[in-house]
Amino acid sequence: MSKEITEAAARLWRAFEEKGTCAPVHDLIGKSDLETAYAVQEENAKRREKSGAKVVGRKVGFTSTVVQKQLGITQPGYGILFDDMDRPLGHIFTSAPRFYNQQPRVEAEIAFVLNRDIAFEKPTTSQIIDAVAYVVPALEIVVSRIVSPNACITDIIADNASGGYFVLGHQPRLLREVNVVDCKMTMVKKTIREEKVISENISGGSGTACYGSPLNALRWLAEEMVRVGRPLREGEVVMSGALGPMASADTGGLFEGRIEGLGNVNVSFPQP
């Protein structure tokens, strides 16, 4: 392992342990070397596992072609889900200032739960569909341990693709019961002002916004995880990617994602 990978991983690990932030790591690993960025991500994944956390799945990011162009990439990226990232439906986060320093944002997604391993080097769509036990509505709480307006793609990937937390809905559906391509998504933010509940739509989209289909994102991820030697396993959760723009959570409120055919899922943030 190179000195640069070790130093970048250590920088991010300190920020993770302190629930704080750190300087970008692209000064150590470059702005375009994705393989090295994933090596940093993997190094800290091993640290988390050694500290007792368990891998429970993966997350797909950068599934929007607009976002890919902004970041200068041509395909999605991935991060790792750990059991200590899982928050229950309706969870209320604390208002610790350091948490808000990590720029929390919320994305509404479709999550797949697998009923078998996907160990094919080139999985077909039918094999991907066959491996899905059920789908649920989900929210991803994206955080950034990188404090800089100039963070680039290698910073994000090294930082576990900005993985923070995730919340799964409680309405599991069989894949054949949901149109994951054309389903509509609406994210609503509710706040209390002068003893009145104010509700506003803050994001919207559909399944097509996620790499053309969330199943396409799952297929890409399955192939990529076999390539790097960490194939998707039975029982794992896959957060397939945002169905619309993310929304900032740093002013507090209740965030509810509503996905057509799947139901609702919510999480709350007190005012900082």
Side-chain angles (χ1 to χ4, degrees):
M1 184 184 305
S2 72
K3 176 182 177 182
E4 291 76 15
I5 292 174
T6 301
E7 290 183 3
R11 184 183 298 177
L12 285 164
W13 185 253
R14 284 193 297 272
F16 169 76
E17 287 196 308
E18 296 169 1
K19 294 182 172 59
T21 55
C22 66
V25 296
H26 64 250
D27 62 319
L28 297 169
I29 63 175
K31 293 186 175 182
S32 60
D33 188 345
L34 301 187
E35 291 297 323
T36 299
Y38 279 117
V40 174
Q41 181 188 121
E42 181 67 19
E43 177 66 14
N44 281 338
K46 291 177 181 177
R47 281 191 171 106
R48 289 185 74 161
E49 289 183 280
K50 287 181 180 178
S51 68
K54 295 181 180 179
V55 174
V56 295
R58 301 290 188 281
K59 51 165 288 194
V60 187
F62 328 129
T63 52
S64 162
T65 54
V66 173
V67 172
Q68 289 176 14
K69 289 179 181 178
Q70 289 174 342
L71 294 173
I73 56 176
T74 58
Q75 64 179 20
Y78 66 84
I80 303 172
L81 300 180
F82 295 90
D83 57 351
D84 57 5
M85 297 168 64
D86 186 359
R87 292 294 182 268
L89 181 69
H91 181 71
I92 301 174
F93 281 91
T94 66
S95 57
R98 286 187 299 178
F99 175 74
Y100 285 103
N101 288 341
Q102 292 183 338
Q103 309 160 65
R105 290 156 289 172
V106 183
E107 296 179 343
E109 309 187 8
I110 290 176
F112 297 100
V113 179
L114 305 180
N115 61 13
R116 64 189 63 190
D117 298 353
I118 307 180
F120 309 102
E121 290 186 4
K122 298 287 184 180
T124 65
T125 298
S126 62
Q127 288 169 330
I128 294 297
I129 290 173
D130 195 45
V132 175
Y134 57 88
V135 295
V136 292
L139 295 176
E140 180 182 358
I141 294 85
V142 175
V143 301
S144 177
R145 285 158 283 268
I146 302 290
V147 56
S148 169
N150 300 315
C152 64
I153 183 61
T154 51
D155 294 307
I156 298 170
I157 288 175
D159 188 22
N160 196 26
S162 297
Y165 307 91
F166 64 96
V167 179
L168 301 182
H170 290 183
Q171 306 96 17
R173 297 284 188 272
L174 297 177
L175 190 54
R176 65 174 177 266
E177 297 174 337
V178 183
N179 184 342
V180 297
V181 177
D182 295 324
C183 63
K184 304 300 181 184
M185 178 279 291
T186 302
M187 194 190 305
V188 175
K189 178 181 178 181
K190 297 179 181 180
T191 53
I192 298 177
R193 300 175 192 167
E194 298 179 352
E195 299 183 353
K196 294 181 180 180
V197 176
I198 307 298
S199 181
E200 56 183 322
N201 291 347
I202 56 173
S203 181
S206 69
T208 57
C210 179
Y211 212 42
S213 166
L215 279 170
N216 289 341
L218 175 57
R219 179 177 177 174
W220 174 86
L221 177 69
E223 183 174 330
E224 191 69 7
M225 297 318 298
V226 169
R227 186 184 71 82
V228 301
R230 273 187 178 256
L232 299 175
R233 299 299 186 189
E234 177 184 356
E236 287 191 334
V237 176
V238 174
M239 300 284 289
S240 59
L243 303 184
M246 67 177 64
S248 175
D250 59 4
T251 58
L254 182 146
F255 292 75
E256 182 175 81
R258 303 170 179 175
I259 301 178
E260 184 180 37
L262 271 179
N264 304 342
V265 57
N266 68 82
V267 67
S268 294
F269 300 85
Q271 291 185 342

